[in-house]
Structure formats: C-alpha cells, structure tokens
Amino acid sequence: MREAARLLRRAERLSRLPALPGDDRNYGVQSNRKVDVYLQFHNAEANGMGMPLPAGRVRVSKLDPADQTLEFIGEDAIDHTPRNEKVLLKLGSAFDVVGERRQLDFRVDTSRKTMTEEIEVRLRNQKKERVEVMVKENLYRWVNWNITSKSHDYRKDDARTVVFPVTIAPGAEAVVRYTVQYTW
C-alpha cells in the first residue's frame, strides 16, 4: 500500500512538469531531397535598375550559348519593392543538385535539461559547373540552443535559423554535419 501511494505521488508530481521541448526524436527528421534555386539581386542603379518595382510575376530567362536564344528558367511573384532593396526570386527546384538530411544521433538528459541532436546533410552536384548551396536549418526544438560541433562555418539568420554556405565542385559531394544542444 505504501509503495502504491508513493508511486501515485510521484506520478502526480511528474504530471505537473512541463513537457520536454520538441522531444519526439522523429519530429522534423524527414528528408526533402529537392534543392531550391534562387536568384537574388539588389534593385540598385548600379545594376541597371534602381526604380520601384511593382508587385507581380517575374519571369527569368537565360541565354543559351548553343543557339543564342533565350531559354526560360523559372518565375516567381514579388511584392512591391522599393529601389535599393534586395529581391529574392525562387525559380524552382534543381534537378541536378540533390540533398539528403538525416539524424545521426539524438539524446535527452532530463536531469541536466539538455537535448542533443546530430544532423548530417549530404549534397551531390551532378552539374558540370560548381554550385553554391545554402543549407538552411531550422532549430525548432527549443529556443535555447548552441551548436557544439560543425563541419562548416554557419551564420545565424534569426533566433531559430542557421545557414551553412557550401560550395560543391562539379560531380562532387559535400557533407555538412553539426551537433546542436538544446537546454531548458
């Protein structure tokens, strides 16, 4: 009887504890192999622009060196954009650059109030020219985080987003690995 009462008190105490931050080890680990293609430019006079751009669809073409014709490579919609501001267009997904994201390790230490996750992102470039890839990672599990190890330098875009810039040679593969520790 004493043991049952003790277990009941413990269960009541545990039920009052807050849930662990993003403690489902499988949350967010599904991989999207598609790599999005973006075009960014500064709406400045030095770039032949520097005028307010109206909201609407922007179609982008590229000169095909084989026959000197323009070939359509993508389109996006923009909002009203003042002069001297950056414009970012999503042109679609690359078919010759692929990425795979996977979770290598996941540990929770409730006594220390820490959660550690190791992530690997593999990128393959099947193009005949080098590519610049920005691996954008959303650190969504908790607001207090610290990257404890990394294979590449990164920049912090906001409170929960880091970006790893990676250059990949033609026909090559790059691997971005990092370990993030969340605390609460």
Side-chain angles (χ1 to χ4, degrees):
M1 190 62 150
R2 256 188 201 168
E3 183 65 17
R6 186 182 69 75
L7 289 174
L8 183 60
R9 281 193 308 274
R10 183 168 190 258
E12 287 173 357
R13 196 171 52 250
L14 288 175
S15 70
R16 289 190 301 258
L17 292 175
L20 291 175
D23 62 347
D24 178 0
R25 88 173 283 133
N26 296 315
Y27 183 65
V29 297
Q30 59 276 11
S31 179
N32 177 9
R33 295 174 50 96
K34 293 184 179 186
V35 175
D36 293 331
V37 176
Y38 289 89
L39 174 65
Q40 180 177 319
F41 60 91
H42 197 156
N43 180 15
E45 201 169 313
N47 294 332
M49 301 191 74
M51 64 193 92
L53 299 175
R57 184 175 18 185
V58 177
R59 294 179 146 214
V60 179
S61 298
K62 177 179 169 183
L63 187 64
D64 185 354
D67 60 3
Q68 298 298 307
T69 60
L70 288 177
E71 90 184 10
F72 175 75
I73 60 171
E75 69 180 4
D76 197 4
I78 63 169
D79 201 0
H80 295 291
T81 307
R83 64 184 189 88
N84 296 324
E85 292 294 326
K86 286 184 183 174
V87 178
L88 182 65
L89 304 171
K90 180 180 176 184
L91 301 180
S93 297
F95 60 87
D96 42 13
V97 180
V98 294
E100 294 176 84
R101 181 183 191 273
R102 65 187 193 131
Q103 182 187 67
L104 299 177
D105 193 18
F106 182 82
R107 295 181 309 275
V108 178
D109 185 342
T110 54
S111 64
R112 291 188 175 162
K113 297 184 178 179
T114 63
M115 180 182 307
T116 306
E117 184 174 39
E118 184 178 2
I119 300 293
E120 174 185 87
V121 179
R122 288 188 172 274
L123 302 159
R124 289 184 300 283
N125 177 15
Q126 304 302 341
K127 288 177 166 267
K128 293 184 176 162
E129 67 254 5
R130 74 181 182 100
V131 295
E132 304 282 330
V133 177
M134 300 297 190
V135 178
K136 181 180 175 184
E137 288 289 292
N138 298 308
L139 305 177
Y140 53 86
R141 290 191 182 273
W142 198 245
V143 294
N144 301 323
W145 56 267
N146 184 37
I147 294 185
T148 58
S149 70
K150 60 187 173 25
S151 61
H152 292 73
D153 289 333
Y154 68 92
R155 75 171 189 263
K156 182 178 174 180
D157 275 2
D158 59 38
R160 289 196 173 189
T161 308
V162 294
V163 176
F164 295 89
V166 181
T167 301
I168 311 169
E173 178 179 81
V175 179
V176 174
R177 268 198 189 128
Y178 69 94
T179 302
V180 60
Q181 184 176 64
Y182 298 94
T183 58
W184 65 95

